[in-house]
């Protein structure tokens, strides 16, 4: 099922699970029976969301991150999602979204991922239960070319809260480190930027457009064969901005476990629901790795670095960067 059929190249770090690894990983995957026997934090539950959502406590989570199936035909390793008419897709969202919102604390935040085709439907459904605070657009960096349309290289993330007057947001935890193209000086000294041997850099506040994200690929240790895996760096921004150490994170469509893995690396608790058994095994392996490796590619020294800056990071912090393996592709 999960055994590699061919030998990977030396640089291919894609996570796989061999048959001999399955027994040791399965003990870290919960079933719906486990959930019925008692919910606890740090659960990766292999079940259908519809079957287990009522077994999860209400008003429990500080942050919810949702990456549901988009409204298109997609095969998730045997679990096929088929595109629907827009009104049907919105009813599909409502069929679970309302109950998911019940799991959020009164001062909690929620993020939902979508593409251009389903994003408007998501906004309508989200606003039926929550207040939308912002829409983040992030550059996917890669995508299929199209001769009769614009290449699809962007996705959205809707940011919503239960109470617009009472929610946690820490912008200082998600500062960006960028190259300064046109450095400005006052009295001969850098203004709001730093001059180094590797170049000029500014630490700046993030906007709602993110162009520093790399999609996981075969040479990155977080990569799996999940067809729509979200980058750890992407979720790290959401988790750092909208939760504190020790807070609880819920992901009702856990996939290969990115939200849970990043939560563990950043000192948060988690609960993930995933119907695909193979994806749960990948998540369990990633969670085990996260016990000893807290690095998040593209996040180092408390800031998020732009893409293609790994070599510069290593020069500026050679011992720390080499030891922890942090960097941006």
């Amino acid at each position: 099922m999960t055994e590699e059929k061919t030998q990977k190249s030396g640089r291919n770090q894609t996570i796989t699970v061999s048959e001999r690894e399955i027994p040791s990983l399965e003990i870290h995957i919960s079933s719906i029976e486990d959930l019925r026997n008692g919910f606890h934090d740090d659960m990766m539950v292999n079940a259908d969301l519809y079957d287990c959502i009522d077994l999860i406590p209400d008003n429990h989570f500080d942050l919810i991150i949702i990456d549901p199936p988009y409204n298109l035909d997609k095969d998730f390793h045997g679990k096929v999602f088929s595109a629907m008419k827009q009104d049907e897709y919105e009813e599909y969202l409502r069929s679970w979204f309302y109950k998911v919102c019940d799991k959020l604390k009164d001062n909690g935040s929620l993020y939902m991922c979508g593409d251009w085709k389903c994003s408007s439907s998501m906004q309508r459904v989200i606003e039926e239960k929550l207040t939308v605070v912002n829409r983040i657009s992030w550059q996917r960096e890669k995508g299929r070319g199209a001769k009769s349309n614009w290449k699809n290289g962007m996705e959205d993330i809707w940011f919503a809260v239960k109470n617009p007057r009472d929610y946690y947001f820490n912008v200082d935890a998600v500062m960006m480190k960028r190259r300064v193209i046109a450095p400005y000086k006052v009295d001969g000294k850098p203004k709001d930027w730093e001059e180094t041997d590797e170049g000029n850099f500014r630490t700046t506040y993030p906007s709602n457009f993110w162009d520093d994200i790399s999609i996981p690929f075969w040479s990155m240790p977080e990569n799996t064969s999940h067809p729509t895996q979200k980058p750890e760096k992407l979720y790290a921004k959401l988790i750092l901005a909208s939760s504190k150490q020790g807070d609880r994170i819920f992901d009702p469509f856990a996939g290969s476990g990115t939200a849970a893995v990043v939560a563990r690396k950043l000192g948060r608790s988690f609960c993930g629901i995933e119907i695909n058994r193979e994806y749960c095994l990948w998540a369990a392996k990633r969670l085990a790795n996260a016990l000893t490796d807290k690095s998040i590619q593209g996040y180092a020294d408390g800031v998020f670095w732009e893409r293609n800056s790994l070599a510069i990071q290593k020069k500026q912090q050679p011992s720390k960067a080499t030891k922890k393996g942090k960097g941006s592709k």
Side-chain angles (χ1 to χ4, degrees), residues 1 11 21 26 52 110 141 143 155 171 210 275 304 306:
M1 177 180 69
R11 293 183 59 221
E21 290 178 295
E26 283 188 324
C52 64
L110 180 146
E141 184 193 12
E155 289 194 16
V171 72
W210 299 351
I275 193 171
F304 288 91
E306 58 190 351

Side-chain angles (χ1 to χ4, degrees), residues 111-180:
Y111 292 93
M112 185 185 289
C113 304
D115 69 352
W116 69 271
K117 194 171 185 180
C118 65
S119 188
S120 59
S121 293
M122 290 179 172
Q123 181 186 9
R124 278 189 288 273
V125 173
I126 291 170
E127 289 182 331
E128 292 169 1
K129 292 291 286 183
L130 305 175
T131 299
V132 170
V133 178
N134 210 329
R135 183 187 69 183
I136 299 161
S137 293
W138 64 282
Q139 188 178 22
R140 294 182 66 252
E141 184 193 12
K142 65 179 182 179
R144 286 185 181 175
K147 292 184 178 179
S148 59
N149 200 346
W150 304 104
K151 177 179 176 180
N152 184 22
M154 306 289 294
E155 289 194 16
D156 290 334
I157 303 176
W158 290 100
F159 172 29
V161 298
K162 273 192 172 180
N163 185 348
R165 290 179 294 277
D166 181 22
Y167 64 93
Y168 177 82
F169 191 79
N170 183 6
V171 72
D172 292 326
V174 286
M175 299 294 282
M176 303 281 300
K177 192 155 188 175
R178 295 185 176 275
R179 291 180 179 89
V180 178

